[in-house]
Amino acid sequence: MKIVNTWGSPVSGTRPSAAVPVVLRPVVAASSRLRTSARLAVLVLVLLVPGVGATWAYSSAVGGQIAFSAAEESGVRVLRPVLAAAADAVAGRSVDVAAIERAAAAEPDLDLGTQLDAVRTAAAAAGATGPQGRVAAVGALADLVTQVGNTSNLILDPDLDSFYVMDALVVQVPKVLVAAAAAAAPGEAAGSDALVAAQAVRAGAVSGAAAALRSDVRTATEQTKDPALADRLAGLVALADAADAYAGTVTGSLTKTSGFDPAPVADAAAAAAGPAADGLQALLETRIGGFVADRTRTLALTAAGLLAAAWFAAGVWWRTSSDVDRALAAVTALAEGDRTEHPLPAGRDELGDLGRAVATTRQRLAEQSDELAAAQTAREQELRHRMEAQTAAERQVRDRAQDIIDETATSVSEELRSVVEQVSAVRAAAATIDRSVSSTDVVTREVVRRADLAQQVVGDLGDSLREVGRMADLIAGVADQTRLLALNATIEAARAGSAGRGFSVVANEVKELAATTGRSTVEITATVGRLRDQAEGMAHAIREMGQGIGSVDEATAVLSSVAADQHHVVGMLDTTISAAIERVESMSSLTDRLERRRQRRVRVEGDVTLEHRGRDITVRLLDLAEGGVRCYIAPPERLDRGDRVVFDGSLDGRRLRLDAVVAHRTPVGEADEVGLQFAGAPAEVTAYLRAAVERLSGAGAVVVA
């Protein structure tokens, strides 16, 4: 059961947040579902994606360049045996087709099947080593070189040095060999103009190819960083010289159809092709090595950068997560009322500012708490003094009221006992009359005397009853004074405010006591009235007895009847007076009720459950004492005085389940105010309730659940 002081609690407010830009709303909505550490992790991953993507794209591009150059190397490896075979074919030697086939089989991606078949056919043809056979063989080999250049990317080489070396090997050398072979085996008639023109063209082709070779060598050596390339391309210059010499021979004998030996050109080509291919191979290897080195260097730098970024991100993530956790723990502790020191962020960033702000807030809260504690202590002391003064005033009021009630009850009891004695005298007189009725004269005289005596006694009885009536009026006056006293107490309690709430409870009880006293006074007055009426009836009967005393028979009958009636009336009178005495003496039991009201009470608020005859009834509490509670019960529920219930609630986290009895019920508007007295509560529960009431006195309203 939770106890809450209702003096009030501080009201906290929040600053309105800035409006989120429309563009950022999706990101803000998604990030608001994540903790700060998760946001940083997502941010790092998002930033890594483009870096990884760029690295992958770069690696793919460099890999493509390496693959491009590797394909060129494949072409160079096939180009070596093909150029050697072309030189052999021009020189009239047999073509080593097997070497070409081995090289082509090692590079299947070059797709040389068709051109290789043509080479086989030309090499295997009859007269392959003759002039025309040499032209067909070198032509097929030239086509094979062209296919190798196209499918191996050599023809698309991007660098100036390697491009011109490739041009010399793939284009110019085959061109020189084809033109030299064609010039050595012209198909035109000797001495004809067609022969002259064709030979001039062939000689020009040889000479042009020689010039192109020199240009390729010059450009390649100028654009290269390979110092050994010039030596490797020297054979191409020698080939150009041999080609120029051969072109001069052909030009000097344009009308001849024989006598041209292309062997020097072929030998020069065979000598130049190998070193030039080595130079081209070295350039390609250098290029591939550069690509690999650049890629390795770039990937290493990228990996180092990513590692550094990951290392820095891990540090930022750890620092941010740690600072957020520290700030959250400190703020949560402050929200829960824990003002002990907790680790706080100490950096120069916003979280550090937040940590310093939390530290300042904690210090200010501690100062305010000390101030509130001091004020609370002073208030509690003031309330304690007020409660002591109020308790003393309540004790004086209760003692005065009890003294008045005791005095009034004693007086009324004495008067009623006097009436009882007089009634006994009347009973004795009636008995005497009854015994004397058998005697005529004696009885008559005795009856007359007794009648006078009875009439006198009845007169005295009337006086006593009037005295009782005056005492009843006195009690009524006391009740009015008590009610006035309760009204004054209520007014004073209202003036006292919250400090007089306990006194208002006592004032209500005194007012209830005055009402009870008034009702008892009314009952006594009614009883005395009935006694007066009965006494007057008895006096009237005695007078009638005196009037009829002249006739002995009638006197005897009348006296017998009167005696019987007198016995009956006296019995009723005795019973009524005894009841009145019991009612008056019962007023002394109010002492116990006042003693119960002297128990300290505290105001309570909240609902509890009462179990009554197998049903649960929810009631609203008003106050609590160690011996019971006072509560409101709303219709249609109803409890009557004397009903037994089970109180089920909790106080300070301790559940209380106690038997209780309805001590009183007072209608208050549509609801009933019911007082419950705990019955048979264990001693330790009573002690717990006493300590709780003592502790909570002066704390304002207490919430009980």
Side-chain angles (χ1 to χ4, degrees):
M1 176 163 39
K2 183 180 179 182
I3 298 177
V4 180
N5 194 311
T6 57
W7 289 339
S9 57
V11 178
S12 61
T14 56
R15 297 177 59 187
S17 59
V20 180
V22 177
V23 177
L24 300 179
R25 286 179 183 175
V27 178
V28 172
S31 62
S32 63
R33 300 176 179 272
L34 302 175
R35 299 183 68 85
T36 303
S37 57
R39 294 178 189 173
L40 290 175
V42 172
L43 178 61
V44 170
L45 291 176
V46 170
L47 293 177
L48 285 177
V49 168
V52 173
T55 303
W56 179 82
Y58 170 78
S59 298
S60 299
V62 173
Q65 292 177 331
I66 293 174
F68 186 93
S69 298
E72 288 187 273
E73 284 187 312
S74 300
V76 172
R77 286 191 290 270
V78 175
L79 191 62
R80 289 174 183 273
V82 173
L83 290 177
D88 290 341
V90 172
R93 295 185 290 268
S94 61
V95 175
D96 188 2
V97 178
I100 299 174
E101 289 177 343
R102 286 192 299 271
E107 308 295 339
D109 293 337
L110 297 181
D111 192 17
L112 303 178
T114 302
Q115 289 75 16
L116 189 57
D117 291 340
V119 170
R120 292 192 190 98
T121 302
T129 57
Q132 296 300 326
R134 288 182 291 182
V135 171
V138 75
L141 290 169
D143 292 340
L144 182 58
V145 169
T146 301
Q147 181 65 16
V148 169
N150 291 333
T151 57
S152 65
N153 300 325
L154 282 171
I155 199 67
L156 300 174
D157 189 273
D159 293 337
L160 288 177
D161 52 357
S162 56
F163 175 81
Y164 284 102
V165 174
M166 176 278 303
D167 181 74
L169 292 176
V170 174
V171 178
Q172 305 306 329
V173 170
K175 185 177 180 180
V176 168
L177 294 176
V178 170
E188 296 79 14
S192 62
D193 293 336
L195 176 62
V196 172
Q199 289 293 81
V201 169
R202 295 180 182 113
V206 173
S207 178
L213 284 173
R214 291 190 182 90
S215 176
D216 287 341
V217 171
R218 183 176 60 255
T219 304
T221 54
E222 289 175 356
Q223 298 298 327
T224 189
K225 294 181 180 180
D226 184 2
L229 182 62
D231 294 337
R232 291 173 175 170
L233 299 183
L236 294 177
V237 176
L239 174 62
D241 293 341
D244 284 338
Y246 183 73
T249 301
V250 173
T251 302
S253 303
L254 293 178
T255 59
K256 296 175 60 177
T257 58
S258 61
F260 303 106
D261 185 9
V265 175
D267 293 339
D278 292 339
L280 181 58
Q281 181 74 28
L283 292 175
L284 293 177
E285 290 177 352
T286 301
R287 185 196 305 166
I288 293 174
F291 287 150
V292 172
D294 290 342
R295 182 177 66 180
T296 302
R297 184 169 50 254
T298 301
L299 290 179
L301 291 175
T302 302
L306 289 177
L307 289 176
W311 175 67
F312 183 77
V316 171
W317 175 85
W318 184 89
R319 179 61 182 270
T320 303
S321 178
S322 176
D323 287 350
V324 168
D325 291 341
R326 290 181 176 181
L328 180 60
V331 172
T332 302
L334 284 179
E336 294 176 351
D338 181 8
R339 287 183 292 277
T340 58
E341 291 190 4
H342 291 76
L344 290 171
R348 297 184 179 181
D349 56 357
E350 292 80 358
L351 291 174
D353 296 339
L354 177 61
R356 288 183 285 275
V358 170
T360 303
T361 302
R362 181 170 56 201
Q363 181 179 359
R364 292 181 179 177
L365 287 176
E367 295 173 354
Q368 294 177 358
S369 177
D370 295 339
E371 295 175 357
L372 290 175
Q376 179 70 14
T377 302
R379 180 177 177 84
E380 289 178 354
Q381 292 177 351
E382 181 182 358
L383 289 175
R384 189 176 297 108
H385 294 327
R386 290 183 180 179
M387 286 296 297
E388 291 174 354
Q390 177 181 337
T391 302
E394 292 174 1
R395 187 178 299 109
Q396 291 178 359
V397 172
R398 286 196 296 268
D399 292 343
R400 178 59 180 163
Q402 185 62 36
D403 292 340
I404 294 174
I405 291 172
D406 291 342
E407 182 181 351
T408 302
T410 301
S411 299
V412 173
S413 297
E414 291 176 354
E415 293 295 334
L416 289 178
R417 287 189 180 90
S418 177
V419 173
V420 170
E421 293 176 358
Q422 295 175 7
V423 170
S424 298
V426 172
R427 183 183 291 111
T432 302
I433 294 172
D434 187 53
R435 287 192 304 269
S436 301
V437 76
S438 61
S439 150
T440 305
D441 294 335
V442 177
V443 169
T444 301
R445 288 191 296 271
E446 187 66 19
V447 166
V448 171
R449 187 179 67 81
R450 294 295 183 179
D452 294 338
L453 180 60
Q455 190 170 3
Q456 183 180 359
V457 171
V458 170
D460 294 338
L461 177 61
D463 294 337
S464 298
L465 291 176
R466 281 190 292 275
E467 185 65 22
V468 172
R470 286 194 299 274
M471 294 305 295
D473 294 338
L474 176 60
I475 294 173
V478 171
D480 293 337
Q481 292 177 0
T482 304
R483 190 177 297 107
L484 180 60
L485 179 61
L487 177 60
N488 291 333
T490 302
I491 294 173
E492 290 300 324
R495 290 178 179 175
S498 61
R501 292 175 179 172
F503 190 61
S504 65
V505 176
V506 176
N508 289 334
E509 298 297 336
V510 173
K511 180 169 65 177
E512 181 181 349
L513 175 61
T516 303
T517 304
R519 289 194 295 272
S520 299
T521 303
V522 171
E523 294 176 359
I524 293 171
T525 302
T527 301
V528 171
R530 288 195 298 273
L531 290 175
R532 188 182 295 115
D533 293 340
Q534 292 170 359
E536 290 176 357
M538 186 174 60
H540 179 69
I542 293 173
R543 284 194 298 273
E544 287 183 351
M545 182 184 65
Q547 293 174 0
I549 199 64
S551 173
V552 177
D553 293 335
E554 292 178 359
T556 301
V558 171
L559 286 175
S560 298
S561 176
V562 169
D565 292 339
Q566 194 172 12
H567 276 292
H568 178 68
V569 171
V570 170
M572 292 179 60
L573 182 61
D574 184 51
T575 301
T576 303
I577 293 176
S578 298
I581 291 174
E582 290 179 359
R583 288 182 177 275
V584 172
E585 290 180 346
S586 67
M587 294 176 65
S588 63
S589 65
L590 294 174
T591 304
D592 295 335
R593 294 172 59 188
L594 285 176
E595 287 301 323
R596 288 197 300 270
R597 292 187 175 91
R598 289 176 186 174
Q599 296 176 356
R600 179 168 294 182
R601 294 175 175 268
V602 292
R603 289 186 58 211
V604 295
E605 296 177 355
D607 296 338
V608 296
T609 301
L610 301 180
E611 296 181 8
H612 177 59
R613 296 178 181 176
R615 295 188 305 110
D616 290 341
I617 302 175
T618 301
V619 298
R620 182 161 56 90
L621 295 179
L622 297 175
D623 58 42
L624 170 69
E626 65 180 80
V629 296
R630 195 161 56 95
C631 57
Y632 277 135
I633 178 172
E637 303 294 345
R638 175 186 174 92
L639 292 175
D640 294 322
R641 183 175 180 180
D643 286 346
R644 293 188 173 275
V645 298
V646 177
F647 176 88
D648 191 356
S650 57
L651 177 66
D652 272 347
R654 176 172 179 173
R655 185 176 181 183
L656 299 177
R657 185 176 177 86
L658 303 171
D659 293 333
V661 179
V662 178
H664 66 84
R665 180 181 66 85
T666 304
V668 181
E670 296 182 354
D672 288 339
E673 181 182 306
V674 176
L676 300 179
Q677 181 179 356
F678 296 143
E684 59 94 10
V685 175
T686 303
Y688 172 77
L689 289 173
R690 184 183 304 112
V693 171
E694 183 69 24
R695 185 178 67 258
L696 300 175
S697 296
V702 179
V703 176
V704 180

